[in-house]
C-alpha cells in the first residue's frame, strides 16, 4: 500500500462551513438524547417514589385494619 503525497482524506469541495452545517443535526440529536435521558431518569425516580408510597400505605392499612 503506497501513500500518495497529493492524496487527502477530505473530499474536494468539503469546506468548514459545510462541516458546520452538517454538525447542526448531530448537535440537536445529542441534546435531544440528553433531554430524553434526563426525563426518563426523572420518570423512573417518580415511579419508584410512587411505588414506595403505595407499599407504605398498604403496610399502614394492614397494621390499622383488624385481622
Amino acid at each position: 500500500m503506497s501513500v500518495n503525497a497529493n492524496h487527502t482524506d477530505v473530499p474536494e469541495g468539503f469546506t468548514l462551513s459545510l462541516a458546520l452545517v452538517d454538525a447542526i443535526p448531530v448537535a440537536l440529536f445529542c441534546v435531544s438524547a440528553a433531554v430524553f435521558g434526563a426525563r426518563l431518569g426523572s420518570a423512573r425516580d417518580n415511579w419508584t417514589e410512587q411505588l414506595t408510597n403505595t407499599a407504605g400505605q398498604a403496610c399502614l392499612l394492614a397494621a390499622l385494619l383488624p385481622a
Side-chain angles (χ1 to χ4, degrees):
M1 184 166 130
S2 64
V3 176
N4 186 354
N6 294 331
H7 177 73
T8 61
D9 291 334
V10 179
E12 187 177 336
F14 193 75
T15 61
L16 178 61
S17 62
L18 182 59
L20 293 175
V21 169
D22 286 346
I24 292 171
V26 175
L28 291 175
F29 175 79
C30 291
V31 169
S32 67
V35 169
F36 178 74
R39 289 189 179 182
L40 186 63
S42 176
R44 185 196 64 218
D45 293 342
N46 289 339
W47 178 81
T48 305
E49 182 180 342
Q50 289 174 356
L51 182 63
T52 304
N53 288 342
T54 303
Q57 290 169 356
C59 289
L60 182 62
L61 285 175
L64 294 176
L65 294 176

